[in-house]
């Protein structure tokens, strides 16, 4: 079983090097950094909408991952409908209700990292809230500043990885036992 695992790892390792290197040989991918920040806003009768947006000049990719919507202290037993206004794949603005919260039957809703691309507007379409929206703001940046030392280290690591892999040997036939 270990030989089969080594063979699979050898294949996967070769496959990933082929994809990364292309025709011209091994290519080192640009370093990627991912920063994650807590996000939260509250909608109520006084503040019926909130817009989350980022700077246009920013080269990073921004994702807003929603985790939960919940009624907070002071909420009445009424339907509180929260809708999200964002852009679809054709860059057209659309409004979609994402939650209908009521204190007596559904005071909170877990969204399990529901991901949206900014700008995004949250609206309290009906009810008086207060509704708390929580999640994470993730920023993914790719840096093209790679030093020669980093490239050489990556190539050395790749060569060491190749040397560590065992060659695939044919299975030995077992002779009948007396």
């Amino acid at each position: 079983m270990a030989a089969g695992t080594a063979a699979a790892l050898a294949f996967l390792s070769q496959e990933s090097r082929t994809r990364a290197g292309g025709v011209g040989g091994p290519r080192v991918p640009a370093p990627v950094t991912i920063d994650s920040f807590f996000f939260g806003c509250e909608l109520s009768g006084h503040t019926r909408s909130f817009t989350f947006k980022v700077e246009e000049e920013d080269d990073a990719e921004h994702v807003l991952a929603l985790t939960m919507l919940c009624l907070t202290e002071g909420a009445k037993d009424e339907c509180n409908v929260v809708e999200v206004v964002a852009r679809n794949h054709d860059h057209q603005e659309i409004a979609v209700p994402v939650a209908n919260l009521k204190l007596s039957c559904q005071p909170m809703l877990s969204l399990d990292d529901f991901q949206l691309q900014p700008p995004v507007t949250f609206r309290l379409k009906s009810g008086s809230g207060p509704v708390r929206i929580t999640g994470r703001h993730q920023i993914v940046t790719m840096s093209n500043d790679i030093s020669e030392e980093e490239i050489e280290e990556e190539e050395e690591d790749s060569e060491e990885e190749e040397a560590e892999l065992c060659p695939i040997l044919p299975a030995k036939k077992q002779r009948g036992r007396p």
Side-chain angles (χ1 to χ4, degrees):
M1 197 67 164
T5 304
L9 290 175
F11 173 76
L12 290 174
S13 178
Q14 179 62 36
E15 181 73 16
S16 64
R17 279 194 302 277
T18 302
R19 286 186 191 160
V23 177
R27 196 181 76 211
V28 179
V32 174
T33 58
I34 300 174
D35 295 316
S36 186
F37 302 96
F38 183 75
F39 165 78
C41 71
E42 188 171 271
L43 305 177
S44 65
H46 302 291
T47 309
R48 300 205 60 85
S49 69
F50 175 82
T51 301
F52 176 80
K53 53 187 168 185
V54 295
E55 295 178 20
E56 294 293 324
E57 306 90 42
D58 194 358
D59 289 337
E61 181 177 334
H62 296 264
V63 175
L64 184 60
L66 300 180
T67 53
M68 185 174 59
L69 284 91
C70 65
L71 294 171
T72 59
E73 186 177 344
K76 299 176 187 172
D77 194 28
E78 62 186 359
C79 288
N80 291 276
V81 177
V82 177
E83 75 176 2
V84 173
V85 181
R87 299 201 177 272
N88 65 9
H89 66 283
D90 291 329
H91 299 289
Q92 297 172 336
E93 192 172 275
I94 59 169
V96 178
V98 292
N100 185 355
L101 304 175
K102 189 171 183 179
L103 196 58
S104 61
C105 61
Q106 186 173 357
M108 67 169 279
L109 176 67
S110 176
L111 293 175
D112 195 31
D113 286 342
F114 181 66
Q115 296 184 356
L116 299 165
Q117 296 289 326
V120 178
T121 300
F122 302 98
R123 287 189 197 150
L124 185 57
K125 197 68 176 166
S126 69
S128 58
V131 176
R132 170 63 71 175
I133 302 171
T134 60
R136 286 187 334 271
H137 174 203
Q138 298 172 323
I139 304 171
V140 179
T141 53
M142 291 180 43
S143 174
N144 292 329
D145 302 332
I146 302 175
S147 69
E148 288 294 324
E149 292 175 10
E150 290 175 350
I151 292 172
E152 290 174 7
E153 287 176 12
E154 185 68 30
E155 288 174 355
E156 288 174 8
D157 290 345
S158 164
E159 290 170 4
E160 289 174 8
E161 191 175 290
E162 287 176 18
E164 290 176 4
L165 296 175
C166 299
I168 300 172
L169 301 173
K172 294 182 181 178
K173 292 184 180 179
Q174 294 183 353
R175 298 182 185 230
R177 294 182 184 161

